[in-house]
Amino acid sequence: MVTHVRAEAQGDERGALLSFLAEQRGGIRRAVLGLTEEQASSRPSASELSLAGLVKHAAEVEQGWISRAKGVPPAVKRDRSNWHECFVLVGDETLPGQLAYWEEVAAQTEEFIRSAPSLDDTFALPNEPWFPPDERVSLRWLCLHLIRETARHAGHADIIRESLDGKTAFELVALEQGGS
């Protein structure tokens, strides 16, 4: 545990889920603190992942899941022809632009989850080969899935950042809080 997630108000399950999601987003966002665009886009490990790519992917995935839950298509349609672009900045995309976009996505997630009638409400999983056919999942499942997805990539971000300059998650928390 790098940061502490405060206990939710009694009975505020949505607040608890959203707080844990925000904590994991913070792990990825902190991983790019103080880096140049070139550093954030570099791939210092055996993986093809970069920090900038992880930021873009995490924002895109979160936006896509919230869109599906709302019953609308994701902002970006991914298939085999462009899946690789989910993990790299392309065209005029920048790290600050992706961070700002993710902030907007996070606000939309918060608003959607807070305004839903119930976390037991369901939506259909996409018709994709990796999902069971005709499966429905709850908004609670969605929150837990986003936490899991983001946490997985926060771990990747920790390794990539430490490979770049040796800074650990604890040092990045201190840096974010104004320390050195």
Side-chain angles (χ1 to χ4, degrees), residues 129-161:
W130 47 87
F131 292 120
D134 303 320
E135 181 92 7
R136 295 187 69 80
V137 294
S138 70
L139 295 184
R140 181 178 296 101
W141 179 96
L142 170 62
C143 290
L144 293 168
H145 177 71
L146 288 174
I147 293 166
R148 176 182 67 182
E149 172 85 11
T150 309
R152 177 181 174 92
H153 293 311
H156 294 141
D158 285 344
I159 292 167
I160 295 168
R161 179 58 189 256

Side-chain angles (χ1 to χ4, degrees), residues 21-165:
L21 178 56
E23 182 224 9
Q24 294 305 317
R25 282 190 208 110
I28 297 173
R29 293 177 73 90
R30 276 188 298 278
V32 300
L33 283 175
L35 296 180
T36 65
E37 290 266 349
E38 183 179 346
Q39 289 171 311
S41 293
S42 69
R43 299 181 323 223
S45 69
S47 169
E48 292 193 21
L49 295 175
S50 71
L51 292 171
L54 285 174
V55 168
K56 178 180 177 176
H57 175 72
E60 192 173 295
V61 165
E62 184 172 334
Q63 189 284 328
W65 276 107
I66 295 301
S67 290
R68 287 179 191 96
K70 291 178 177 180
V72 299
V76 178
K77 173 72 172 131
R78 293 284 177 208
D79 58 32
R80 289 181 186 193
S81 71
N82 66 359
W83 178 253
H84 66 284
E85 291 179 359
C86 179
F87 288 98
V88 295
L89 301 184
V90 295
D92 61 354
E93 294 175 336
T94 64
L95 178 60
Q98 291 299 309
L99 288 166
Y101 175 65
W102 198 10
E103 198 169 309
E104 292 172 19
V105 168
Q108 292 168 9
T109 298
E110 172 105 13
E111 191 278 326
F112 176 71
I113 295 299
R114 290 268 184 208
S115 67
S118 171
L119 290 176
D120 294 326
D121 289 353
T122 64
F123 64 97
L125 286 175
N127 183 21
E128 302 288 351
W130 47 87
F131 292 120
D134 303 320
E135 181 92 7
R136 295 187 69 80
V137 294
S138 70
L139 295 184
R140 181 178 296 101
W141 179 96
L142 170 62
C143 290
L144 293 168
H145 177 71
L146 288 174
I147 293 166
R148 176 182 67 182
E149 172 85 11
T150 309
R152 177 181 174 92
H153 293 311
H156 294 141
D158 285 344
I159 292 167
I160 295 168
R161 179 58 189 256
E162 196 167 350
S163 297
L164 281 171
D165 64 5

